[in-house]
Amino acid sequence: MVAANIPSTLLLFLVLITAILLNINQTLARPSSLNSVVLGMKHSTTSLPSPKRPSSSEALDMMEPLREVRDGYLMSLNLGTPPQAIQVYMDTGSDLTWVPCGNLSFDCIDCDEFRNNIKMTANTFSPSFSSSSGRDLCGSSFCIDIHSSDNYFDTCTIAGCSLVTLLKTTCSRPCPSFAYTYGAGGVVTGALTRDTLTVHGNSPGVTREIPKFCFGCVGFTYREPIGIAGFGRGKLSLPSQLGFLQKGFSHCFLAFKYANNPNISSPLVIGDVAISSKDYLQFTPMLKSPMYPNYYYIGLEEISVGNVSAIKVPLNLREIDWRSNGGMLIDSGTTYSHLPEPLYSQLLQLLQSVITYPRATDMEMRSGFDLCYKVPCTNNNFVDDLLPSITFHFLNNVNLVLPQGNHFYAMGAPSNSSVVKCLLFQRMDGGDYGPAGVFGSFQQQNVEVVYDLEKERVGFQPRDCALAAAGQGLHKI
């Protein structure tokens, strides 16, 4: 993930979290006190085994609507008994699924800008209102996974579990609270919880209950205003817990103009139907990262502008080295695609050489984007084909022409027969560590994207996602 400098507010936050976690570890001998004071969760004295993995015949296909907001795509998690609907981001770049928990309070530091962007505040999950809610235990593989415990001095040992019970995964102590960080600098802290998850089948009116689904019940965050559904390949991810890691999923993200429109949703399909009969797509292989096997990496070979000019990309965008650095991370949780230097500057120079419209430098300064132009429009109507196309050439001869609107985007309404459009790419920071680039959700709009996990490949096909949504019954207009 992308490295970030830690601001002073985050340092204060981490000091607070450290104090909270130390207090939690010291009070784990009194689980009922911990649950009521820290997160207000009910204490369960019964064991919560890992959910049974559905067999091929049991793992029915799913179809969940995704609602577009300014910086991502939201899905609704129906958790608890009776179900509570919680809006969360769909994120292919992480594993943990978490929701804000609000029995006492949910606090998010430095979140005002994010809340303004998505025009909503977090709706919170209340464990005390669910008859099926309970804390995860130290004997759970999910608890071990979230703490990355691989020594005798892990948090469950501090909680009072003997080494024998840890090795046998039979310790009945509540799983200690965790801190989970994201590449852009976000941090969440909370406790692993089990409860019933209700999902929608691929047919209208069909639902299925997933008992003892494991997720983070989060009380404090830094720059993470609402929850996240992790779609990575780790144990905690939503596809993994639902038994779909040997199958796959697909999505078709609506265009940016539908942001915050409650009448139309993007289709997210999970299971056999997502990957079957997809021969019309172009598939590029997933790259394997020994150190980060839960992320989705693909290889980028070239970028072309229009029909003639092409830029060869550095080797680290085409492969992952023995230190697990390189490759292009495909991530629905990152809004704009990131390219490393000098490739990013080369793309800017090439675009400047072929675009003759006047630069909108004032918009560049205000927006932070590096390339903006004043593009003519007739009768104040947008024209999409006045700027050159950009094509990503992935491994296996996969050529994805980015749909119009996925590279240059209008930053406001037309004025004086012109409109300002900016290139919505960003420079990759972080040096030589981690992924060399990121393929973000904005550049995936109006593209059917298929994650074929069985064959370890990713497929692309430009498509009108609004029409796809109508075909799935997700268009209410």
Side-chain angles (χ1 to χ4, degrees), residues 17 20-21 24-25 27-28 31 34-44 48 79 96-103 105-106 125 127 133-138 140 142-144 146-147 155-156 173-180 187-195 213-221 236 241:
I17 293 306
I20 292 170
L21 293 179
I24 289 171
N25 286 333
T27 59
L28 278 174
L34 164 68
N35 296 331
S36 60
V37 174
V38 179
L39 289 174
M41 286 195 264
K42 300 185 302 179
H43 174 58
S44 173
L48 290 175
L79 289 167
L96 176 68
T97 294
W98 67 269
V99 297
C101 279
N103 276 4
S105 64
F106 170 71
F125 175 73
S133 182
R135 281 284 291 273
D136 196 30
L137 305 180
C138 276
S140 160
F142 296 128
C143 181
I144 296 171
I146 194 70
H147 289 290
T155 50
C156 284
R173 295 280 186 176
C175 183
S177 292
F178 62 84
Y180 195 90
V187 182
V188 302
T189 181
L192 284 186
T193 302
R194 300 289 189 99
D195 212 333
F213 178 77
C214 189
F215 59 97
C217 199
V218 169
F220 299 92
T221 74
L236 280 163
Q241 292 194 57

Side-chain angles (χ1 to χ4, degrees), residues 305 343-375 387-388 390 407-411 419-427:
V305 173
L343 175 63
Y344 180 75
S345 292
Q346 290 171 350
L347 176 62
L348 296 186
Q349 292 170 6
L350 180 55
L351 288 167
Q352 291 178 67
S353 69
V354 298
I355 298 174
T356 58
Y357 302 121
R359 291 276 290 275
T361 54
D362 55 337
M363 179 59 72
E364 292 173 1
M365 295 181 62
R366 292 201 307 270
S367 67
F369 293 111
D370 292 310
L371 208 57
C372 299
Y373 288 97
K374 297 177 182 178
V375 182
L387 293 167
I390 297 178
H407 41 34
F408 284 94
Y409 187 77
M411 305 301 289
V419 63
V420 174
K421 292 188 175 184
C422 295
L423 179 70
L424 269 56
F425 282 73
Q426 292 184 330
R427 180 180 288 103

Side-chain angles (χ1 to χ4, degrees), residues 35-355:
N35 296 331
S36 60
V37 174
V38 179
L39 289 174
M41 286 195 264
K42 300 185 302 179
H43 174 58
S44 173
T45 58
T46 59
S47 175
L48 290 175
S50 297
K52 177 179 176 289
R53 305 284 179 167
S55 66
S56 297
S57 59
E58 292 174 322
L60 302 176
D61 292 329
M62 291 171 50
M63 198 279 289
E64 297 289 340
L66 295 174
R67 184 168 69 85
E68 183 176 8
V69 291
R70 182 172 177 80
D71 53 358
Y73 294 82
L74 300 180
M75 64 181 293
S76 181
L77 291 181
N78 295 288
L79 289 167
T81 307
Q84 301 173 44
I86 312 296
Q87 298 293 308
V88 298
Y89 282 113
M90 183 257 181
D91 182 20
T92 60
S94 63
D95 290 328
L96 176 68
T97 294
W98 67 269
V99 297
C101 279
N103 276 4
L104 294 179
S105 64
F106 170 71
D107 293 327
C108 180
I109 297 175
D110 196 15
C111 280
D112 290 342
E113 177 184 351
F114 293 81
R115 285 171 173 157
N116 291 337
N117 281 347
I118 62 177
K119 298 181 179 179
M120 65 175 291
T121 56
N123 51 341
T124 58
F125 175 73
S126 297
S128 62
F129 294 158
S130 172
S131 62
S132 51
S133 182
R135 281 284 291 273
D136 196 30
L137 305 180
C138 276
S140 160
S141 62
F142 296 128
C143 181
I144 296 171
D145 188 75
I146 194 70
H147 289 290
S148 299
S149 301
D150 58 0
N151 60 70
Y152 299 161
F153 302 101
D154 64 13
T155 50
C156 284
T157 302
I158 298 172
C161 295
S162 69
L163 179 58
V164 172
T165 58
L166 284 174
L167 293 175
K168 293 183 177 180
T169 66
T170 57
C171 182
S172 59
R173 295 280 186 176
C175 183
S177 292
F178 62 84
Y180 195 90
T181 61
Y182 293 92
V187 182
V188 302
T189 181
L192 284 186
T193 302
R194 300 289 189 99
D195 212 333
T196 299
L197 172 67
T198 303
V199 300
H200 295 92
N202 196 42
S203 301
V206 176
T207 61
R208 180 164 64 103
E209 290 187 350
I210 311 298
K212 298 183 177 61
F213 178 77
C214 189
F215 59 97
C217 199
V218 169
F220 299 92
T221 74
Y222 173 76
R223 305 191 76 181
E224 296 293 341
I226 59 176
I228 288 175
F231 270 70
R233 306 179 77 174
K235 292 180 180 179
L236 280 163
S237 77
L238 190 145
S240 178
Q241 292 194 57
L242 271 58
F244 289 114
L245 271 192
Q246 299 305 316
K247 296 185 178 182
F249 58 92
S250 69
H251 56 68
C252 194
F253 290 154
L254 289 169
F256 215 44
K257 64 182 179 181
Y258 293 105
N260 298 309
N261 186 335
N263 295 314
I264 184 169
S265 303
S266 300
L268 167 66
V269 183
I270 310 173
D272 282 331
V273 70
I275 59 176
S276 61
S277 302
K278 299 295 183 179
D279 293 338
Y280 57 90
L281 273 76
Q282 301 181 77
F283 283 94
T284 189
M286 293 181 186
L287 303 181
K288 294 182 179 181
S289 171
M291 191 174 296
Y292 308 109
N294 298 345
Y295 300 139
Y296 303 107
Y297 288 93
I298 53 180
L300 181 66
E301 289 190 300
E302 193 176 77
I303 297 177
S304 60
V305 173
N307 298 321
V308 292
S309 303
I311 309 171
K312 289 289 185 181
V313 307
L315 183 62
N316 64 351
L317 270 171
R318 289 177 274 168
E319 60 183 41
I320 297 175
D321 66 20
W322 62 274
R323 295 174 301 174
S324 292
N325 297 319
M328 188 169 221
L329 182 72
I330 178 168
D331 183 12
S332 68
T334 297
T335 307
Y336 307 119
S337 291
H338 289 62
L339 297 174
E341 289 291 7
L343 175 63
Y344 180 75
S345 292
Q346 290 171 350
L347 176 62
L348 296 186
Q349 292 170 6
L350 180 55
L351 288 167
Q352 291 178 67
S353 69
V354 298
I355 298 174

